[in-house]
Structure formats: structure tokens, C-alpha cells
Amino acid sequence: MPKTFNDIPLARPDTPLLDSVNQPADLRDFTPQQLLALADELRHFMLYCVGRTGGHFGAGLGVTELTIALHYVFNTPDDRLIWDVGHQTYPHKILTGRREQMLSMRQKDGLSGFPKRSESEYDTFGVGHSSTSISAALGMAMGSAQLGSERKTVAIMGDGAMTAGMAFEAINHAAHVDKNLLVVLNDNQMSISRNVGGLSTYFSKLWASKFYNQMRERGKKALRPLPHASAFVRRTEEYMKSMVSPATIFEELGFYYVGPIDGHDLPLLVETLANINEINGPVLLHIITHKGKGFAPAENDPVGYHALNKIEPKPTVAPAQPSQTASKPKYQKVFGDWLCDMAEQDNRLVGITPAMCDGSGMNEFSQRFPDRYEDVAIAEQHAVTLAAGMACEGSKPVVAIYSTFLQRAYDQLIHDVALQNLDVLFALDRAGLVGEDGATHAGAYDISYLRCIPNMLVMTPSDENETRQLLYTGYQHSGPAAVRYPRGTGPGAVIEQQMTALPVGVGVMRREGTGVAILNFGTLLASGLEVAEQLDASVADMRFVKPIDKAMILDLASRHQLLVTLEENSIAGGAGSAVNEFLAQQGIVMPVLQLGLPDTFVDHGSHDQQLASLGLDSAGILASISKRLELLDTAVGKKSAL
């Protein structure tokens, strides 16, 4: 049995076996007993690392034995391991030469929190979004076969990720091409099967054994098989499996199914994987694990311990008494409160989420309005078209979805919602940069990909109160609408409980100045105002990207020397581009400085570090505007000299 820990170690634990593993090949010299001891050391070390850096760790604790077994049995990195999502890859990183870098995890210039091809040859595929592993693994298996390679390919996918249509598309194709592919289904929520016990373990070992599969292969290759006997054997096998495991669905889809087995039984995992390694064609190994295994608090609360914040050292001086001022709510809380308030007023409202209830702030709504709450699992495409269908019948669906995940349902957004001008509100959480989660989770493109879609209403609130009021505005709007807001807390604006529909396509002046006008789209407004005080510039809180406030743009262009657009979205195709396009349509030629995210993927680090590195903090914005003003003055001087 794995050792259970009750506390996060504050000092590095003693891990002599783990310290001797500099590459997976080192594992293959270990005895079975040493492998078991290594699993305990690996868990203890991972707890220490995540306590120092923060990050995901519940999933990693759950696959500790599996990770060891995979690297023990397969010849990595020549054999390919493809991890789905990536939350569970901390043990993998520790065992693949990155042990001493783990304290840099998710920090600026440090290790990524997800597999990253540029980081290690053992990270065979970069991931961050769910349910891609089988497709990628199948592609690798097919590519290797085309080049004559006999390397093994393994996809490791959680049961939650298996709810996505993409996973079944890949399974369907895998059976068609019949390449050597192992899919490990890590069932850590017991949502597929609870059949873990002596009988199922016995049959799993039987089905994966060399003797059994040699007999199956001989039966297939026999020159004169007995048809009635072979049919009897096949029916008997199917009947036995149907009693103890959910084999039928996977075998009907073309996979040879093994399992379910205990994913924390390391000797059993090693034995089963070694036997499976001899089987040709697509195989699915179903294992049962416990998320957070080996850390008692996480075992008792796997959702709450999905990830962990960095544990700060205790101060040597007693901290000052906390202020009586209420703490600022996170934007997800602002959305969750609005959703409940709106649901009380309108019984047509339905809240939809693709498996992000907690992250999107919908816990209270799901409890208070269970009949109007739909968690569709990791199925973004389905979530959007489901909302479209509900809107057709008079419901008022609100789809709460991270900006980066809406990208996965772009076709449905266009064809199923916008083309039909259906009444669906999209609450886009995590818009802009997201700090330590890095490029895979950044909401860097939603303004660009939304504003080009006909019928869309696109809104960019600058603070908590505007978020609430624009959510209400979008809900009252007839047709598709989107409100984008960032991760974390805002500037602390007073939130008005009274909900008011704001005039669509109308911005508001926040400061009148001269020379420079800053057109702000979103939550960089505070930095824009700070810079404006130093330059005596005007500041407009535009609020709407589509329709854009044309009258305000014309007014500001007529009274200022330079327009500056400010957004936490890609400059390419973003809100600044919308301003430039409108000016060009009007035949207005004037300097416009677009400040936003550059044409590059932004690596992980704190949100403040990310903004500073891109010149989107107050100092960077001031420097960019000052430089542009100098260039304009130089150009005017040269023109005067002529």
C-alpha cells in the first residue's frame, strides 16, 4: 500500500532512491521492493515541490505508480508517452531529468506546468487542453509505422477527458487503421466503473497474459479453425467481460480491452503493461486510481485539492491586523452572483458549463437552481450547440466558458449560434493573460475571433461593476453576445446591485485631457488612467468592441494628436484594429498606437510579470506613448524644415 502523508513538507525530504534516478532507464535497475519505496519518495518530493511553487498536484499524486510503471516497462523517450491535459505530469517531469528544476515550476523562465516539447525530449506532445492525447498518439503511431519504426505509443487519458467527442473520434479512427496503440484510461472519478476486486483483477491479468494472447493469435492464424468452437470462445469471453467490466463499448469500437485494475498496485501495473506490450493493435487499459492518493487531505477532498497555492513561509514578525475593508471579489464571483440574481428574475435562464462549475463561479447557482444548471462535461462543442437548441425553444442560455476553451467550439459559435442569430450569452472567463498557467490557457484571441462574426455583440468591461452591468446588457440583448473578463480580482469598484442595461455601442469618458487620447478596452483601464495623469491625456472606457462607439472615435480623433488603443488581447485583429479600420473607412489619416499582446505566445510567469515584459504595465504604456510622441515631434520638425 502507498504511504499516506498528512502534511506538506516545508523542508526537502530525504529521497535517496529518487535522487539516483536521473533518467527513466535508471528505474530498470530497481528491484520490485525498491520501486515501491520509490513511489513513496516520489509522492513526498512532489508534495514538497508543489508546496513551494503552487500548482496542480491531485492528479499527479494519483498517477505516481502508473508513471513509474510506464517508464519502467517502455523504452522512453524512444517509446512515446502522450499525457492528456498535463495536470498529472509532475511525477513524469521529476523522473525525466528535471528533478532539480522542479522548484522553478510555473515561475518565469522556469518549468512549464504542462508537457512542453521544447522543454524535454520526454515531453513528446505539448498539451494544455483536454482530450487530445489519443489523436496525437495515433498520429505518432501512424507516422512511426510509415517510417518503419517499431516504437511503442501510449496515450494516458483521464475519464473526464473521455467525455469529449474528440476522444471518440480518435478511438473510431484508431480501430480503422489498426496500428499498435495503447490507451491508458485513468478512471480517477469512478465515473465509468466501480468493478475493482479480485475477480476483475484475475480476468484482467488473464486477458493481458502472454499465454492467453498467444492462443488468440493462433486461433486467428489457424488454417482450418473450427467455426463453432471459435464462436463459442468469443461469446464466452464477451460474456465474462460484460459481467465484470465495461469492455463492451470499447471492444465494439475496435479496441482490445483490459481492466479495470487497481492503478495503485505497482507490481500489477508493471506485469500488466509488460504483457500488453506484446499485443498488436489498439489496446485500452482501464485503471482505477484515487485523485490525491497518498496525501490524506486531497484524498478526502480531491476537488478542493485539484491544485494548491504556494505555501508562504511564516513571517518572523507578526503581521499587522487585517483591514476591516471587505476583500475584493474575483471576477468569477461577480459572474456567479449575477447569474443567481438574474435567475431569480427570469425563470427562462439556464446556466451551461463544460466541466468548469467551480472555476467559473457557478457552485451557488448549481445548488440553488439545479433544474436550470447543465454541466455537459468536457464537451465545449456540445455546450454551444446545446445552448443554440435551447434558445430555439425560448430558453435564455448563459454559457460560462473560459476564453481559451471557446476556441474549441468556434465552428458551433459561428454556424449554430451567430448564423441563426440565436439568443445566447457567453460569459468568457480568463480573458487575457492568465499568469502561471501560461500560453495554453491564455485568453489572448477572443476579441479578434469574435468581432469578425456577424450578429455578435462583444463587450469588454473595465471593472467588477461594469462586468455585472454588461452581463445584464448582454442578457437583455436579442442575439448572441459575449462579455470577456479576466482571471482574479479587479480594481475594487463598488458593485451596484441594481442591474441596468447600458446603451449598446456607447463608451464613457473617464478623463479629459489634451494631445493624447487613450481608448481602453477592458481591465487595463487603471494603468491607462495612471499614465494619463502624467501626460494629461484623455481616457475613454470604450466598453464595446462590437458595435464600436464610432461617434466617440470621431470626436477623439478630431481633438487629439495621437490615439492609443489599449487591450489585453492580440494586437492582430483586436480592438485597436477595429479602431484603425473605422478610421480608414472614414478617410481619416492620423497616428494610432496599438498596445496589446504581440504576435507571439506568452510564456508562464505571474500576471504582473507578463504585463511588464510586454510593456502593458503603467511604466511600459508610458514609455511606448512617450516614444511615439517623440517620433511624431521629430517627423513634424523634419516636415517644417522642408
Side-chain angles (χ1 to χ4, degrees):
M1 286 291 293
K3 184 176 180 179
T4 299
F5 301 95
N6 294 293
D7 300 298
I8 303 289
L10 300 180
R12 179 167 176 155
D14 185 30
T15 55
L17 287 172
L18 181 61
D19 292 347
S20 70
V21 179
N22 296 310
Q23 56 184 343
D26 296 332
L27 295 173
R28 294 155 206 158
D29 296 327
F30 281 27
T31 67
Q33 287 302 315
Q34 286 177 317
L35 288 177
L36 291 171
L38 175 68
D40 290 335
E41 289 187 10
L42 182 55
R43 272 199 178 87
H44 205 191
F45 181 74
M46 188 171 66
L47 287 170
Y48 162 71
C49 292
V50 179
R52 292 283 300 274
T53 66
H56 299 95
F57 81 130
L61 290 172
V63 297
T64 298
E65 287 82 12
L66 175 64
T67 306
I68 293 172
L70 286 169
H71 280 295
Y72 181 84
V73 171
F74 293 97
N75 183 32
T76 56
D78 185 63
D79 289 338
R80 308 302 200 200
L81 301 184
I82 300 92
W83 300 87
D84 206 272
V85 182
H87 294 161
Q88 71 270 47
T89 55
Y90 291 12
H92 162 78
K93 293 199 176 205
I94 294 169
L95 294 176
T96 53
R98 288 167 279 184
R99 181 184 63 248
E100 301 308 317
Q101 297 172 268
M102 288 300 292
L103 295 187
S104 71
M105 179 76 71
R106 292 161 47 90
Q107 314 299 308
K108 189 175 185 299
D109 301 323
L111 293 180
S112 169
F114 303 95
K116 191 174 183 180
R117 281 172 57 85
S118 61
E119 187 177 289
S120 170
E121 62 180 338
Y122 292 94
D123 290 359
T124 58
F125 197 75
V127 294
H129 290 188
S130 170
S131 313
T132 63
S133 60
I134 303 178
S135 296
L138 179 60
M140 291 180 183
M142 293 172 67
S144 296
Q146 185 179 13
L147 297 177
S149 171
E150 296 183 357
R151 65 165 50 102
K152 305 295 183 177
T153 308
V154 184
I156 304 98
M157 171 176 278
D159 60 305
M162 192 64 83
T163 61
M166 183 177 180
F168 284 92
E169 292 171 16
I171 287 174
N172 180 63
H173 188 213
H176 174 71
V177 299
D178 197 33
K179 300 301 181 189
N180 292 335
L181 171 68
L182 170 60
V183 175
V184 179
L185 174 57
N186 174 27
D187 187 352
N188 60 25
Q189 295 295 329
M190 305 190 90
S191 61
I192 296 177
S193 172
R194 297 179 184 272
N195 298 317
V196 179
L199 186 60
S200 64
T201 297
Y202 170 77
F203 281 124
S204 297
K205 293 172 71 174
L206 171 64
W207 296 327
S209 70
K210 291 182 180 179
F211 171 78
Y212 181 80
N213 285 284
Q214 285 171 357
M215 295 301 294
R216 289 179 87 243
E217 292 299 317
R218 288 175 185 173
K220 291 179 182 178
K221 297 175 182 178
L223 292 176
R224 294 186 181 183
L226 298 175
H228 299 295
S230 60
F232 173 77
V233 170
R234 184 176 66 253
R235 285 197 300 269
T236 301
E237 176 187 26
E238 290 175 355
Y239 177 70
M240 291 165 62
K241 287 186 175 183
S242 68
M243 290 192 299
V244 297
S245 72
T248 305
I249 184 172
F250 294 111
E251 296 214 332
E252 288 297 324
L253 288 168
F255 272 68
Y256 182 58
Y257 175 94
V258 177
I261 67 173
D262 183 353
H264 300 300
D265 187 334
L266 184 52
L268 176 60
L269 281 171
V270 169
E271 178 186 357
T272 304
L273 288 170
N275 289 332
I276 286 175
N277 203 13
E278 303 298 322
I279 300 175
N280 293 319
V283 180
L284 187 138
L285 171 62
H286 183 178
I287 70 171
I288 305 294
T289 64
H290 195 131
K291 200 170 184 179
K293 183 68 173 179
F295 182 56
E299 289 187 20
N300 296 327
D301 183 13
V303 175
Y305 280 89
H306 170 67
L308 185 72
N309 291 327
K310 177 180 178 180
I311 299 176
E312 301 291 347
K314 294 181 179 179
T316 55
V317 180
Q321 290 298 315
S323 168
Q324 297 301 311
T325 305
S327 61
K328 296 184 292 186
K330 292 183 177 180
Y331 277 99
Q332 65 196 59
K333 176 72 162 54
V334 175
F335 165 72
D337 289 346
W338 170 83
L339 190 66
C340 290
D341 293 345
M342 195 70 245
E344 286 184 337
Q345 293 187 18
D346 189 346
N347 60 15
R348 297 173 301 163
L349 184 149
V350 177
I352 300 173
T353 176
M356 296 304 298
C357 177
D358 183 63
S360 294
M362 297 181 73
N363 285 337
E364 183 181 352
F365 175 81
S366 68
Q367 295 162 9
R368 290 176 55 186
F369 305 95
D371 294 339
R372 290 191 274 158
Y373 167 72
E374 297 295 336
D375 185 341
V376 302
I378 302 173
E380 292 87 359
Q381 293 170 302
H382 170 59
V384 173
T385 303
L386 175 72
M390 298 185 81
C392 287
E393 299 302 319
S395 293
K396 293 278 287 184
V398 178
V399 180
I401 189 168
Y402 289 9
S403 169
T404 185
F405 296 148
L406 184 58
Q407 295 165 186
R408 311 187 78 182
Y410 194 53
D411 181 69
Q412 289 69 29
L413 175 65
I414 295 173
H415 288 273
D416 298 340
V417 177
L419 182 64
Q420 303 182 93
N421 201 29
L422 293 174
D423 201 358
V424 179
L425 174 62
F426 295 91
L428 302 189
D429 199 346
R430 270 66 167 180
L433 300 174
V434 291
E436 290 82 356
D437 280 342
T440 60
H441 283 57
Y445 314 107
D446 53 74
I447 291 177
S448 302
Y449 70 66
L450 287 173
R451 76 175 191 85
C452 62
I453 303 174
N455 294 331
M456 284 297 304
L457 173 64
V458 184
M459 294 164 279
T460 57
S462 61
D463 59 33
E464 302 92 335
N465 185 55
E466 258 188 16
T467 299
R468 179 177 173 86
Q469 306 308 329
L470 286 176
L471 284 165
Y472 183 75
T473 302
Y475 187 82
Q476 299 301 327
H477 175 73
S478 179
V483 181
R484 75 184 308 256
Y485 47 90
R487 180 183 190 179
T489 59
V494 176
I495 300 176
E496 301 170 7
Q497 292 306 301
Q498 176 67 34
M499 293 184 284
T500 305
L502 303 179
V504 173
V506 177
V508 60
M509 289 300 300
R510 292 298 187 97
R511 189 185 191 281
E512 288 287 357
T514 60
V516 176
I518 299 174
L519 287 68
N520 175 77
F521 297 87
T523 53
L524 295 178
L525 178 64
S527 296
L529 286 168
E530 184 178 336
V531 170
E533 288 294 328
Q534 300 179 62
L535 296 174
D536 189 25
S538 297
V539 178
D541 178 11
M542 298 299 290
R543 303 195 295 200
F544 295 86
V545 175
K546 186 176 186 179
I548 203 162
D549 192 336
K550 298 177 180 179
M552 180 169 283
I553 295 172
L554 289 174
D555 175 60
L556 293 173
S558 68
R559 298 189 289 113
H560 296 83
Q561 176 190 7
L562 172 66
L563 299 185
V564 179
T565 62
L566 188 58
E567 61 190 302
E568 198 170 333
N569 180 86
S570 170
I571 292 175
S577 296
V579 172
N580 268 321
E581 290 165 14
F582 173 68
L583 291 173
Q585 290 169 357
Q586 300 300 309
I588 297 173
V589 179
M590 72 171 299
V592 179
L593 172 61
Q594 293 177 237
L595 298 180
L597 304 182
D599 187 24
T600 186
F601 293 109
V602 181
D603 278 336
H604 51 278
S606 73
H607 186 238
D608 288 343
Q609 288 174 330
Q610 289 177 322
L611 291 179
S613 69
L614 301 175
L616 292 177
D617 60 349
S618 299
I621 295 168
L622 178 60
S624 295
I625 296 175
S626 299
K627 182 177 180 180
R628 181 58 60 91
L629 288 173
E630 290 176 6
L631 291 174
L632 291 175
D633 290 342
T634 300
V636 170
K638 289 181 178 179
K639 187 174 181 180
S640 299
L642 293 175

